[in-house]
Amino acid sequence: MTQSQGHTVKSFDDDLRQLRSLISEMGGLAQEQITAAIDALTRRDSEGAMKVVAQDKSIDALEAEVERFAVRIIALRAPMADDLREVIAALKISSVLERIGDYAKNIAKRTPVLAENSIIQPVSILPEMGRIVARMVRDVLDAFVNRDAELAVAVCQRDKQVDDFYNSLFRALLTYMMENPHHITASAHLLFIAKNLERVGDHATNVAEMVHYGVTGEHIGERPKADATPYVNITPGDTAEGA
Amino acid sequence: MTQSQGHTVKSFDDDLRQLRSLISEMGGLAQEQITAAIDALTRRDSEGAMKVVAQDKSIDALEAEVERFAVRIIALRAPMADDLREVIAALKISSVLERIGDYAKNIAKRTPVLAENSIIQPVSILPEMGRIVARMVRDVLDAFVNRDAELAVAVCQRDKQVDDFYNSLFRALLTYMMENPHHITASAHLLFIAKNLERVGDHATNVAEMVHYGVTGEHIGERPKADATPYVNITPGDTAEGA
């Protein structure tokens, strides 16, 4: 960390520590929300889902707090170069975490409809996919707080697995729809839920790239595109296993 | 605009003007990308769609430029309070525009699959929905550049219409899927496309709220939630007209 003009290093570092701790808190909450949303979904617990929806306000409030605090740090401390970039990175990360919270809320909002419908098999894949992305969120925040470039790389690498989950869910859900029109509504909502989880993985990966760049000054090599394979045609002849 | 210490008002204003003009350029591009993506989709023009995908890099590059420039303004000019908030707002808006570009790219990526499938009727609603959201993007950028709070309010109000489009498309697409399993793949992609446009409307609305707050210091009254009605059950008995 570079030393900035016009203030002692110690107090700027204190501010930065506090900013990081706010981001950490926000990340913890975002991760909990993803886990709680998927948990409510698999237990068909509409009440639990509504708690997730209500809890989203706390993440929004934390984002506003991060912004106010970041603006105050910049205004009072006038940080230079690297320090300033770190504050700007915190701002960007907080807006990503707010979006991750929105995805959890969106998943939770779909739970009551799914609770009304018969359980369809692909639901069983979601908890594992949810666990992976929630852990990516946790790890990328640890990477940010501890300036751990290696952990950031590890998070990026896990995104491939999330994409594989998404692609296989996309195919499975479409074939379920084809087999029985009574599965269509539930499957459509599950498609969006799977997409939401896939997006959380993407966002965690974007943050990991930011963290890596912040720590090393180098970009992580181009990662393979997130959602290439599901742009395929699936026809009613395909089966859930074959697609 | 408040006067900041340590620099003449004129040169900071010049910087701000240049920052706003970058944002404007980015917004114009985002709007064009939405329009071009929907245009390629309705013409079943896979080649045109691939141009939209390629063009997304220009928006990403502009976002990086906005960030570099904003960091330089903050570091060199040390803007105070209102000026600083304006620079931070520009940063946030550029990241929203980058996301809008991503939605256009995502729509474009689905075009080749849709070009392979038979045309289904709900596609005809998309151009109008696309026009509305592209215009919201243009107008909210005008509102930002001209600090026009009234136009920001008008943009927010139009979001209701986008949500109505989305809700009726969601229902129509699900009933299309139920009527004929050969419509399922195309309908699933169209569901995501409709959702993407709905999200663009949401993002434009979020920016409008930011602009309004920046100009007036007041929040626009709580807007109705974007996506409440589609969380409904649609069963195979429903028809496209009745749902």
Side-chain angles (χ1 to χ4, degrees), chain B residues 116-138:
Chain B
E116 283 174 31
N117 281 275
S118 55
I119 299 173
I120 59 174
Q121 184 270 333
V123 177
S124 64
I125 303 183
L126 286 172
E128 181 57 17
M129 194 177 170
R131 257 190 298 276
I132 297 172
V133 301
R135 196 154 164 217
M136 284 172 78
V137 172
R138 195 191 67 195

Side-chain angles (χ1 to χ4, degrees), chain A residues 51-234:
Chain A
K51 277 187 204 155
V52 172
V53 172
Q55 182 69 359
D56 186 52
K57 287 207 192 321
S58 315
I59 299 188
D60 294 350
L62 276 169
E63 190 200 11
E65 198 178 332
V66 166
E67 186 175 334
R68 273 194 306 272
F69 190 54
V71 167
R72 219 182 55 195
I73 294 177
I74 296 173
L76 293 182
R77 309 252 179 234
M80 309 280 286
D82 288 359
D83 288 345
L84 179 55
R85 265 190 286 274
E86 172 113 16
V87 177
I88 299 288
L91 268 179
K92 288 175 77 170
I93 292 172
S94 80
S95 91
V96 172
L97 293 174
E98 188 271 334
R99 297 196 51 73
I100 290 177
D102 278 353
Y103 287 118
K105 181 170 80 172
N106 187 277
I107 291 170
K109 277 179 164 182
R110 296 180 192 276
T111 295
V113 183
L114 288 160
E116 280 172 34
N117 281 275
S118 55
I119 298 173
I120 59 174
Q121 186 268 333
V123 177
S124 64
I125 303 183
L126 287 172
E128 182 57 18
M129 194 177 170
R131 258 191 297 278
I132 296 172
V133 300
R135 196 154 164 219
M136 284 171 79
V137 173
R138 196 192 65 195
D139 287 351
V140 80
L141 267 292
D142 284 349
F144 170 69
V145 171
N146 304 318
R147 299 178 62 78
D148 183 342
E150 262 179 59
L151 187 54
V153 172
V155 169
C156 286
Q157 283 163 349
R158 262 178 273 158
D159 198 39
K160 169 78 175 65
Q161 204 184 345
V162 176
D163 292 342
D164 289 345
F165 264 108
Y166 173 69
N167 294 339
S168 86
L169 263 167
F170 182 87
R171 285 167 174 273
L173 287 168
L174 258 59
T175 52
Y176 263 79
M177 288 174 162
M178 288 165 189
E179 280 165 19
N180 185 344
H182 287 96
H183 289 160
I184 286 178
T185 300
S187 298
H189 287 290
L190 288 170
L191 269 183
F192 281 119
I193 290 172
K195 187 72 189 169
N196 286 341
L197 291 179
E198 190 259 341
R199 295 297 296 142
V200 172
D202 276 354
H203 282 299
T205 304
N206 289 340
V207 173
E209 289 168 345
M210 256 189 265
V211 168
H212 189 272
Y213 183 76
V215 175
T216 66
E218 279 171 22
H219 292 288
I220 297 178
E222 277 287 299
R223 66 193 159 106
K225 276 319 296 168
D227 47 5
T229 45
Y231 300 103
V232 292
N233 233 329
I234 294 162

Side-chain angles (χ1 to χ4, degrees), chain A residues 4-8 76-78:
Chain A
S4 304
Q5 290 178 309
H7 63 86
T8 65
L76 293 182
R77 309 252 179 234

Side-chain angles (χ1 to χ4, degrees), chain A residues 31-49 52 104 107-108 111 123 126-128 130-131 134 193 197:
Chain A
Q31 181 204 340
E32 274 168 37
Q33 287 279 90
I34 295 289
T35 306
I38 295 295
D39 185 52
L41 174 70
T42 45
R43 286 188 297 106
R44 305 158 77 75
D45 170 8
S46 298
E47 217 173 292
V52 172
I107 291 170
T111 295
V123 177
L126 287 172
E128 182 57 18
R131 258 191 297 278
I193 290 172
L197 291 179

Side-chain angles (χ1 to χ4, degrees), chain A residues 113 117 176-189, chain B residues 120 170-185 187-188 191 232-240 243:
Chain A
V113 183
N117 281 275
Y176 263 79
M177 288 174 162
M178 288 165 189
E179 280 165 19
N180 185 344
H182 287 96
H183 289 160
I184 286 178
T185 300
S187 298
H189 287 290
Chain B
I120 59 174
F170 181 87
R171 285 168 174 272
L173 288 167
L174 258 61
T175 52
Y176 263 79
M177 288 174 161
M178 288 165 189
E179 280 164 20
N180 184 345
H182 287 95
H183 290 160
I184 286 178
T185 299
S187 299
L191 268 183
V232 292
N233 233 328
I234 294 162
T235 58
D238 298 338
T239 65

Side-chain angles (χ1 to χ4, degrees), chain B residues 1 23 40 45 54 121 125 128 133 156 159 185-186 205 242:
Chain B
M1 213 163 296
I23 296 279
D45 170 9
Q121 184 270 333
I125 303 183
E128 181 57 17
V133 301
C156 286
D159 198 39
T185 299
T205 305

Side-chain angles (χ1 to χ4, degrees), chain B residues 37-144:
Chain B
I38 295 294
D39 185 52
L41 173 70
T42 45
R43 285 188 297 105
R44 306 157 76 77
D45 170 9
S46 299
E47 216 173 293
M50 288 311 106
K51 277 186 203 156
V52 172
V53 172
Q55 182 70 358
D56 186 53
K57 286 207 193 322
S58 315
I59 299 188
D60 294 350
L62 276 170
E63 190 199 11
E65 197 178 333
V66 166
E67 185 175 334
R68 272 194 307 272
F69 190 53
V71 166
R72 217 181 58 194
I73 293 177
I74 296 173
L76 294 182
R77 308 252 178 234
M80 310 280 284
D82 287 0
D83 289 345
L84 179 56
R85 264 190 288 274
E86 173 114 15
V87 177
I88 299 288
L91 268 178
K92 289 175 76 171
I93 291 172
S94 79
S95 92
V96 172
L97 293 174
E98 188 272 333
R99 296 197 52 72
I100 290 177
D102 278 353
Y103 287 118
K105 181 170 78 171
N106 187 278
I107 290 170
K109 278 179 164 182
R110 296 179 192 277
T111 294
V113 183
L114 287 161
E116 283 174 31
N117 281 275
S118 55
I119 299 173
I120 59 174
Q121 184 270 333
V123 177
S124 64
I125 303 183
L126 286 172
E128 181 57 17
M129 194 177 170
R131 257 190 298 276
I132 297 172
V133 301
R135 196 154 164 217
M136 284 172 78
V137 172
R138 195 191 67 195
D139 285 352
V140 81
L141 266 293
D142 284 349
F144 170 69

